[in-house]
């Protein structure tokens, strides 16, 4: 990862002396939260919401700054940093890449980028710095992507737009080769799914709940409670491949396969490599003032021998009604994991569902008000190891004021 960030930092650092324009954009989200849940995962608990009754109140949800620089006619650089008041260092890098956009010679347009970035999967996170625009929280799928997954590598995409050739069909193909992200699956296995909008920094340590399996006398004592998602441990390359289809501007379909190809027997400095792979489907349709979107994911992750392993899945359906400067969204989530390992003292299966109702009022071009209520019910036997009830119901009410520049 350091090798990929060095040229990007040099590019942005030399942009000003070369009189190249740097465009700054971003968002600030200040919110009031009332939450009722067990100890949140952001405080090393097994609660599934970002906030609980001990860390709710007035909070800084996001403070994101994005810098874009045109380095040449077809080359640009982008860097995104994020601040939130739960992070020990407050500010961290979330994305940084160089992009090459050659001028197309035909109907196909090619783009190549290298660095650290989110895979092009989310339908919800279309705001500045990969933030949601219709709700305060995101679905279980996109919550996990924001928490634990970042592509560190090179991505190439080819898109054929139908309009220039008088066709209603848009077609796209994307392929990426990446390193790092070997620990991906750690948080999903030992914490489980969540409903959140928290974006982890690439250098930020995430603290797991204190469970017996990785205590000094536990069966996986080499595993640290502090995980670092952007680590390369085994020297292997992973890959992801996606296809996209659009019809006449109102229908979008996508499919993606991800495989980090990690060696689950490798462990360094308290970090295991997890072999993680998943398939993803997405769909969005627009009809006048209505918008519907759906994403579904199914995958597998494993480490050690014997170690921890789960089959995981999640899906959501969201409907949004746009009325002038107002929008109302209703999202239904279902998620689960099935244990697939040989350590009875480490139960990692779960089942759950969540419902979110959100209202957004665009007060002005740069200002918006967001109100959201979330209720979540889940059953996770591992909570018994921490003295909590296995089945829990959690809820939160959030009112956020967002400024976008």
């Amino acid at each position: 990862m350091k090798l990929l960030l060095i040229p990007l930092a040099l590019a942005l650092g030399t942009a000003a002396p070369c009189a190249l324009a740097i465009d700054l954009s971003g968002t600030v989200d200040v919110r009031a939260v009332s939450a009722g849940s067990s100890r949140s995962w952001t405080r090393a608990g097994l609660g599934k919401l970002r906030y609980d009754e001990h860390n709710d109140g007035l909070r800084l949800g996001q403070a994101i700054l994005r810098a874009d620089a045109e380095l040449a006619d077809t080359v640009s650089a982008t860097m995104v940093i994020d601040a939130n008041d739960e992070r020990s260092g407050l500010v961290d890098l979330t994305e940084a890449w160089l992009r090459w956009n050659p001028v197309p010679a035909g109907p196909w347009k090619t783009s190549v980028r290298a660095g650290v970035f989110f895979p092009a999967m989310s339908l919800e996170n279309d705001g500045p710095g990969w933030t949601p625009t219709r709700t305060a929280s995101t679905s279980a799928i996109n919550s996990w992507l924001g928490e634990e997954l970042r592509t560190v590598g090179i991505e190439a995409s080819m898109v054929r737009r139908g309009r220039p050739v008088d066709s209603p069909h848009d077609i796209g193909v994307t392929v990426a080769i990446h390193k790092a992200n070997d620990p991906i699956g750690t948080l999903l296995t030992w914490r489980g799914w969540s409903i959140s909008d928290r974006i982890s920094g690439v250098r930020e340590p995430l603290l797991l709940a204190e469970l017996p399996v990785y205590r000094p006398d536990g069966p996986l004592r080499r595993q640290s409670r502090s995980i670092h998602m952007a680590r390369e441990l085994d020297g292997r390359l992973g890959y992801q491949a996606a296809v996209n289809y659009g019809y006449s501007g109102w229908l979008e379909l996508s499919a993606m396969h991800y495989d980090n190809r990690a060696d689950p027997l490798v462990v360094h400095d308290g970090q295991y490599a997890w072999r993680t792979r998943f398939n993803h489907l997405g769909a969005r349709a627009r009809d006048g003032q209505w918008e519907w979107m759906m994403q579904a994911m199914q995958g597998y992750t494993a480490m050690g021998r014997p170690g921890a392993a789960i089959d995981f899945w999640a899906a959501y359906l969201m409907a949004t009604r746009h009325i002038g400067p107002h929008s109302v969204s209703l999202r239904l989530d279902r998620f689960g994991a099935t244990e697939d390992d040989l350590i009875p003292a480490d139960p990692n299966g779960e089942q759950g569902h969540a419902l979110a109702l959100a209202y957004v009022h665009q007060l002005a071009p740069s200002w918006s008000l967001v109100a959201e209520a979330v209720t979540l019910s889940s059953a996770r036997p591992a909570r018994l190891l921490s003295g909590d009830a296995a089945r829990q119901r959690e809820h939160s009410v959030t009112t956020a004021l967002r400024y976008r520049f």
Side-chain angles (χ1 to χ4, degrees):
M1 183 181 69
K2 292 181 179 179
L3 294 178
L4 289 169
L5 292 180
I6 289 173
L8 180 55
L10 292 175
L12 287 175
T14 58
C18 294
L20 296 178
I22 299 179
D23 294 327
L24 299 178
S25 60
T27 186
V28 178
D29 177 316
V30 179
R31 59 185 61 177
V33 183
S34 176
S37 70
S38 60
R39 187 175 184 180
S40 169
W41 71 270
T42 61
R43 299 195 310 115
L46 290 173
K48 295 192 169 300
L49 299 179
R50 181 175 177 180
Y51 304 102
D52 59 39
E53 58 187 12
H54 296 290
N55 71 337
D56 59 2
L58 188 63
R59 304 304 302 260
L60 174 64
Q62 309 283 359
I64 292 172
L65 178 64
R66 171 172 170 158
D68 293 282
E70 295 296 326
L71 307 180
D73 290 341
T74 61
V75 180
S76 62
T78 297
M79 182 176 291
V80 183
I81 58 174
D82 168 78
N84 70 64
D85 54 11
E86 300 157 326
R87 186 178 292 137
S88 58
L90 185 63
V91 178
D92 204 342
L93 178 79
T94 58
E95 296 184 274
W97 70 83
L98 289 169
R99 185 187 294 274
W100 176 52
N101 269 316
V103 177
W108 288 89
K109 180 175 177 57
T110 302
S111 175
V112 179
R113 62 174 173 170
V116 185
F117 45 85
F118 287 101
M121 292 172 53
S122 176
L123 300 177
E124 301 175 278
N125 298 65
D126 52 1
W130 209 77
T131 54
T133 57
R134 302 160 188 82
T135 55
S137 66
T138 59
S139 63
I141 290 174
N142 292 311
S143 295
W144 177 53
L145 297 184
E147 295 156 2
E148 203 177 7
L149 193 149
R150 220 60 47 88
T151 297
V152 183
I154 300 176
E155 174 192 83
S157 63
M158 295 184 65
V159 178
R160 183 185 184 275
R161 299 294 183 190
R163 180 173 295 181
V165 291
D166 296 323
S167 170
H169 307 286
D170 299 327
I171 302 173
V173 178
T174 303
V175 177
I177 303 297
H178 54 80
K179 292 180 71 68
N181 251 160
D182 284 345
I184 178 178
T186 314
L187 188 62
L188 185 59
T189 300
W190 283 318
R191 187 281 315 272
W193 296 100
S194 75
I195 299 294
S196 172
D197 68 325
R198 191 182 190 281
I199 301 174
S200 299
V202 297
R203 299 175 301 168
E204 176 184 9
L206 300 175
L207 188 63
L208 296 167
E210 186 175 356
L211 296 174
V213 67
Y214 38 73
R215 288 175 183 165
D217 58 347
L220 299 176
R221 56 186 177 273
R222 297 181 68 185
Q223 170 68 49
S224 170
R225 282 185 62 198
S226 181
I227 63 173
H228 300 262
M229 64 171 180
R231 290 284 301 275
E232 177 56 45
L233 301 171
D234 59 8
R236 293 184 176 184
L237 292 175
Y239 71 94
Q240 58 204 45
V243 293
N244 299 273
Y245 170 77
Y247 180 78
S248 196
W250 70 269
L251 177 65
E252 300 173 24
L253 303 174
S254 62
M256 178 179 176
H257 177 72
Y258 175 97
D259 191 340
N260 71 350
R261 297 184 64 249
D263 181 350
L265 301 182
V266 172
V267 55
H268 291 301
D269 300 326
Q271 308 292 303
Y272 272 90
W274 291 66
R275 178 65 187 272
T276 301
R277 55 184 181 269
F278 61 78
N279 295 311
H280 170 266
L281 297 174
R284 173 162 48 197
R286 301 181 179 93
D287 182 16
Q289 295 177 323
W290 284 96
E291 180 183 30
W292 295 271
M293 60 178 63
M294 178 278 293
Q295 289 180 248
M297 175 184 289
Q298 184 275 331
Y300 173 80
T301 186
M303 55 78 76
R305 185 193 294 168
I310 59 169
D311 295 291
F312 59 87
W313 62 271
Y316 78 87
L317 178 65
M318 182 162 71
T320 300
R321 171 80 169 182
H322 300 279
I323 309 172
H326 311 275
S327 71
V328 178
S329 298
L330 182 67
R331 186 185 67 230
L332 174 63
D333 268 274
R334 295 192 67 87
F335 52 84
T338 303
E339 185 143 25
D340 197 23
D341 60 46
L342 301 175
I343 306 179
D346 181 35
N348 293 311
E350 69 174 16
Q351 297 286 333
H353 62 270
L355 186 68
L357 177 64
Y359 166 75
V360 178
H361 181 197
Q362 195 68 40
L363 302 171
S366 298
W367 293 89
S368 61
L369 180 68
V370 183
E372 180 191 77
V374 175
T375 180
L376 185 153
S377 180
S378 64
R380 186 172 181 85
R383 290 178 176 138
L384 297 172
L385 302 176
S386 300
D388 297 323
R391 184 176 295 274
Q392 295 185 8
R393 182 177 294 276
E394 305 169 66
H395 67 270
S396 69
V397 176
T398 302
T399 302
L401 183 64
R402 291 175 177 167
Y403 173 68
R404 180 174 178 175
F405 59 92

